[in-house]
Each structure stands twice: as C-alpha cells, then as structure tokens.
C-alpha cells in the first residue's frame, strides 16, 4: 500500500539527566523504548536529536557568578567596562550580567534600539518615527529615553529590562550608566575597555571597535573559554549559549559533543542495523510574528552532528512543476511525470527555477528548528526527538 504519511517528529521522554550520566546509552534506550511502546521501527536516515541542555548537564558544564566575575576582572581590568549589545533575557543574560558587574567597578551599559539582536523590543519603530529619532545615528541617554518613551515592558514577560538590568548591576555594588546606540564606536567615548555581548554579529563588532582604538575588546565568547577555579567552560563559545541554572550559576553551552553523536549513531546501528543520523540541537532559527523575537540566542543551532546531516536540501518545488512544466497534465499522468522528475533530478539544483520557493537553509538549521518546536522549552519532558521521513520525497513508498 502506498505510504500516506511524510515527515513525523516525535518527542521522546527520558529520565531526568544528571551530571555524569551515560547520555549516549540513555538516548539509545529511550528511543528504542519509545519505538516499542508506540509500535514503530527505526529506519535508515531517521534523525535522533538531543537538546544541548541535557548534553551540558551530563557533562557538568556549569559556572558560578564568581567564576564569571573573576574572568571578566582578569581580562578587562575590573574598572570601567562598556557592556554593549546584550540581549534582553532573564534566562540568557541576566546571570551573566550579574557576574560581569561583580567583576567591574562601573558598567556603561549600551543597549541597541529599537530592539536587541534577537528582536526583543525596547521601543517600537512607530514611536521612533513619531519622536523623530534616527536609531542609526542618534545616541540617547537614559533620561532622554525615558522622556521620549517612558517605561516599556516586554509584551510576554512584562519586564522593563532597562530598569531590571540597571538594578541588577547596582545590586552587585557596581556603578551603572545606561545609553542607547547602535554604532559600537559610541562606547569608546565612555571607556576603551569593551565587552561586546552580541551573538551573530560579534566578529564585526570586535573588528570595528579595535579599528576605532579600543584598548581591550572581548566578546561573551572570550569569557570562560577555560576553567576558572574548577568551573566549566566552552573553548569555542565561552558564555555564548549559556542559560540560567540557579540564581548564582549558569549552564554553559555543551563542549566536545561530536563524540557523543557518533557514539549514539554507532549504538543504534549495532542495536537495529539502521544507520540513523544524530545531532545535538539548541535554539531553532525562526521568528515570532507577534513578539517579533528571532529565537536563535545560541551561537549555532547545532554544535555537533553526524556527517549525513551536512549540506542543504536539494528539492524540487512540486507547485512549480505542476503549474509550469506539467501544466497540461492531470491525475495519474501528472503524478507519474512529477515522480519521474524527482527520480531524475540533478544532484545540485541550486539556482534553477524549479527550486524557487524551497527553503535555502542548512539541514541542521531546518531540522534543529523542527526539534526545538517539538520539544518545547518547558515541562514536556522530551529532550530527545526522533524524526522519520525527513529525507523522503513524493516517490518514496
């Protein structure tokens, strides 16, 4: 019988993961138990994905506020530091900011506006237009911002992040001055020592600051790249990708997890005879049209994946074929023609008209977004995702 179902994404329940757990074995056991309980079997080119959170937890990759403070003090001098372009997030940045403040005497906090890098708004574009403010050139003090725009609470969290971050810094006995600007050079009017906290634009920001005469430039990816007093670390991403664990501790992005995905793949092949692709995933890469938040606060969607997930989709747009190449066909003839076009398609369709409208993104970014939406970020208890049929097409039975 012809198969009627395409891609299926399942959240797999697993035990609560603790430091030192054999995560590869837990993943394999959980996936096989889920398949048995639901009555399905693994197939070649299935995808098993594990959220970065449980990977880091199994690794014990945590760091305290004091460890952050010590590294910031050592790398930026412990006096006046410009902290620029942070995202507005209690989970992602607030605990890091507490550690940064503990390692400085004064912070000049420079916030991008009208929103942070991932879309959290400080003020709407409409309000900027009404006030005659040009965000590309105008620098606002805190007093001017309040005069023009008053208090602005996040639509979902109801937090006024300007107030929240200012109070958090002050709680650490650190002076704080808040400004609003989008040109990184502006911070050099206040201090020559800068910690830039942007994620995906960090390389450009560092380059601009150094060229403009900054004495010391670090990014969040330069903090905790090595252990401090026995803390966790991440050699590649530092504090980027970290999350709040407790009020004085963060969970860092997982490190060295390529061996994990290969181990899971090997164990599943041994148990089932099927070659399953495996990846570690973090934030998906998609934008909320209401809150305007672009989800990707991690430095990458996937820090580790098996070789079969390298590359981008190579797909034909069925709508294009039906409306153009085979517009004169219908029914069984149309189905047969499209199936033949798929079977004989070129191995690299990039740039051809028949691919327009397909999603031009890397496989790991697409699949990671699917995983993130499937697992959620709350109490579903499914840190493992099992995807079937992702690499199938219209011709597969």
């Amino acid at each position: 019988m012809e198969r009627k179902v395409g891609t299926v994404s399942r959240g797999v329940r697993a035990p609560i993961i603790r430091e030192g757990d054999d995560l590869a074995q837990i993943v394999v056991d959980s996936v096989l138990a889920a398949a048995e309980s639901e009555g399905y079997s693994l197939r070649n080119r299935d995808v098993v994905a594990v959220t970065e959170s449980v990977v880091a937890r199994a690794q014990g990759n945590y760091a305290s506020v004091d460890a952050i403070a010590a590294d910031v003090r050592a790398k930026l001098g412990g006096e006046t530091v410009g902290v620029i372009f942070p995202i507005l997030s209690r989970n992602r940045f607030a605990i890091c900011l507490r550690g940064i403040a503990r390692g400085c005497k004064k912070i000049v906090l420079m916030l991008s506006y009208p929103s942070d890098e991932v879309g959290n708004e400080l003020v709407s574009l409409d309000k900027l237009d009404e006030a005659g403010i040009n965000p590309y050139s105008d620098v606002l003090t805190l007093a001017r911002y309040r005069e023009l725009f008053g208090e602005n609470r996040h639509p979902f969290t109801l937090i006024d992040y300007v107030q929240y971050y200012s109070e958090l810094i002050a709680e650490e006995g650190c002076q704080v001055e808040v400004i609003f600007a989008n040109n990184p050079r502006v911070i050099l009017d206040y201090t020559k020592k800068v910690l830039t906290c942007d994620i995906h634009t960090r390389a450009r920001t560092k380059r601009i600051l150094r060229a403009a005469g900054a004495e010391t430039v670090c990014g969040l990816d330069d903090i905790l790249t090595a252990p401090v007093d026995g803390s966790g670390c991440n050699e590649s991403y530092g504090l980027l990708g970290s999350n709040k664990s407790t009020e004085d501790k963060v969970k860092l992005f997982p490190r060295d997890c390529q061996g994990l995905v290969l181990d899971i793949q090997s164990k599943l092949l041994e148990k089932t005879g099927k070659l399953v692709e495996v990846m570690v995933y973090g934030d998906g890469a998609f934008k909320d049209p209401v809150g305007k938040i672009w989800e990707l606060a991690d430095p990458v969607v996937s820090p580790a994946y098996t070789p079969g997930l390298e590359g981008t989709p190579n797909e034909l747009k069925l709508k294009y074929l039906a409306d153009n190449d085979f517009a004169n066909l219908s029914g069984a003839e149309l189905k047969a023609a499209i199936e033949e076009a798929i079977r004989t398609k070129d191995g690299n369709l990039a740039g051809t008209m028949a691919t327009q409208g397909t999603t031009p993104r890397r496989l790991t970014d697409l699949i990671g977004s699917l995983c993130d939406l499937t697992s959620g970020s709350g109490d579903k208890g499914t840190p493992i995702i099992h995807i079937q049929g992702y690499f199938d097409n219209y011709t597969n039975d």
Side-chain angles (χ1 to χ4, degrees), residues 13-79:
R13 290 184 176 175
I16 303 299
I17 305 300
R18 294 295 190 188
E19 181 177 352
D21 285 350
D22 185 345
L23 186 57
Q25 193 61 53
I26 290 172
V27 170
V28 170
D29 291 345
S30 298
V31 168
L32 295 179
E36 182 178 3
S37 71
E38 296 294 314
Y40 62 89
S41 300
L42 273 69
R43 303 197 293 259
N44 285 316
R45 297 227 74 189
D46 283 4
V47 179
V48 169
V50 188
T51 180
E52 58 84 19
S53 178
V54 298
V55 178
R57 198 182 309 155
Q59 292 176 341
N61 202 18
Y62 294 86
S64 69
V65 167
D66 285 337
I68 296 171
D71 212 27
V72 167
R73 193 179 302 112
K75 289 174 177 173
L76 288 147
E79 299 293 329

Side-chain angles (χ1 to χ4, degrees), residues 192-205:
K192 302 296 184 184
K193 296 180 183 295
V194 187
L195 177 61
T196 182
C197 302
D198 46 345
I199 306 162
H200 308 291
T201 56
R202 63 189 184 275
R204 176 178 182 268
T205 302

Side-chain angles (χ1 to χ4, degrees), residues 25-295:
Q25 193 61 53
I26 290 172
V27 170
V28 170
D29 291 345
S30 298
V31 168
L32 295 179
E36 182 178 3
S37 71
E38 296 294 314
Y40 62 89
S41 300
L42 273 69
R43 303 197 293 259
N44 285 316
R45 297 227 74 189
D46 283 4
V47 179
V48 169
V50 188
T51 180
E52 58 84 19
S53 178
V54 298
V55 178
R57 198 182 309 155
Q59 292 176 341
N61 202 18
Y62 294 86
S64 69
V65 167
D66 285 337
I68 296 171
D71 212 27
V72 167
R73 193 179 302 112
K75 289 174 177 173
L76 288 147
E79 299 293 329
T80 299
V81 174
V83 175
I84 72 172
F85 303 154
I87 65 171
L88 308 175
S89 171
R90 293 169 296 173
N91 175 47
R92 287 290 189 170
F93 188 69
I95 304 302
C96 294
L97 181 58
R98 187 175 295 282
I100 295 164
R102 194 172 292 183
C104 303
K105 289 184 178 178
K106 179 179 178 179
I107 283 177
V108 181
L109 182 65
M110 191 170 95
L111 301 172
S112 56
Y113 75 101
S115 64
D116 69 9
E117 182 183 5
V118 296
N120 295 294
E121 275 193 351
L122 285 171
V123 60
S124 71
L125 283 169
D126 289 334
K127 287 184 178 180
L128 290 184
D129 291 342
E130 291 168 9
I133 296 297
N134 183 346
Y136 298 104
S137 60
D138 293 344
V139 180
L140 304 179
T141 63
L142 178 58
R144 183 61 172 155
Y145 169 82
R146 291 299 191 196
E147 176 189 343
L148 290 170
F149 308 118
E151 180 186 75
N152 290 278
R153 293 183 176 272
H154 191 282
F156 294 142
T157 67
L158 304 181
I159 299 294
D160 179 340
Y161 278 96
V162 177
Q163 178 183 350
Y164 177 57
Y165 280 0
S166 298
E167 291 177 349
L168 188 154
I169 293 168
E171 286 172 6
E172 293 301 323
C174 180
Q175 297 178 54
V176 58
E177 181 176 358
V178 180
I179 60 173
F180 303 81
N182 292 304
N183 182 346
R185 299 174 186 87
V186 168
I187 196 64
L188 301 181
D189 294 334
Y190 299 82
T191 176
K192 302 296 184 184
K193 296 180 183 295
V194 187
L195 177 61
T196 182
C197 302
D198 46 345
I199 306 162
H200 308 291
T201 56
R202 63 189 184 275
R204 176 178 182 268
T205 302
K206 291 179 187 179
R207 172 176 55 79
I208 289 171
L209 287 167
R210 288 172 179 140
E215 292 177 11
T216 305
V217 179
C218 290
L220 287 180
D221 57 329
D222 299 309
I223 305 300
L224 288 185
T225 53
V228 173
D229 297 327
S231 74
C233 68
N234 191 298
E235 296 87 347
S236 299
Y237 300 117
L239 281 176
L240 288 180
S242 62
N243 297 83
K244 177 180 179 178
S245 174
T246 68
E247 293 301 325
D248 62 0
K249 186 168 65 174
V250 294
K251 176 200 65 61
L252 300 171
F253 210 49
R255 53 192 298 218
D256 302 329
C257 38
Q258 189 62 32
L260 173 69
V261 298
L262 294 173
D263 191 18
I264 293 170
Q265 183 181 60
S266 175
K267 283 180 164 62
L268 286 171
L269 179 62
E270 181 182 349
K271 291 277 188 179
T272 67
K274 306 299 181 183
L275 185 64
V276 174
E277 304 298 345
V278 183
M279 65 184 289
V280 175
Y281 70 95
D283 278 346
F286 47 83
K287 186 170 183 176
D288 169 19
V290 176
K292 302 180 180 64
I293 302 167
W294 182 46
E295 178 72 7

